[in-house]
Amino acid sequence: MWRAIKSDISAVFDNDPAARSWFEVVFTYSGLHAIWAHRIGHWFYKKGMFTVARIVSQVSRFMTGIEIHPGATIGKRFFIDHGMGIVIGETCEIGDDVILYQGVTLGGTGKEKGKRHPTIGNNVVVGSGAKILGSFLVGENSRIGSNAVVIREVPANSTVVTIPAKVVKRDGVRVNRLDHGDLPDPIVDIFQDMQKQIDELKAQLEALRTKNGEQREHDTQSV
């Protein structure tokens, strides 16, 4: 148990450059408190004490703003950064060295029974506000862009963005895994393409105006 606690604290220092001391981390990091509360609630859940487990999770939700169902399975060195608004469903499975930012939902898509929440592979980073909905795998080493809505499986070593989420990088150049703001923006790409077309049309129009002006001048001189 103490080894797990030490590992959770070490994950904070590994992933948050603002962490200054063990005392500060232990007493002020709500994400860490939510993880520890979940480990307690999950123990009760596995023992079949479901109501006690839910009470633990709801108290944690009230105190931290992070809701983790006690049935969820969470791996080692899980890190929640600024976790307000995070929701993790009952049948969700999270691998090792996963990072979640605020407002993330790992949820289902309806009232189906059985496995209905996503499985998150090792070394996955999920950006702020992202929603991963359904029973499918998010492959290891993948990055989910901020506010993306993921509704289908994500291959390993991929970067996905937008709504609905699309893979925009796979087995590409490695980027800083904590720099979740450094992601391709398809909307910006569209506007840049439109601006390029507008510039080309303006150039063509200007060429036509110049040609017409020269033609009128030539006609005037001929008269």
Side-chain angles (χ1 to χ4, degrees), residues 17 47 67 112 121 128 142:
K47 297 295 183 181
E67 182 172 350
E112 65 273 19
S128 304
S142 292

Side-chain angles (χ1 to χ4, degrees), residues 109-157:
T109 57
K111 296 183 178 180
E112 65 273 19
K113 300 294 184 180
K115 184 76 166 71
R116 58 190 185 280
H117 300 105
T119 296
I120 310 298
N122 299 334
N123 300 302
V124 171
V125 178
V126 185
S128 304
K131 314 299 178 187
I132 305 177
L133 308 174
S135 177
F136 53 81
L137 174 66
V138 175
E140 62 182 17
N141 304 313
S142 292
R143 302 169 71 241
I144 310 301
S146 296
N147 297 313
V149 177
V150 185
I151 56 176
R152 59 178 59 89
E153 184 168 332
V154 176
N157 307 305

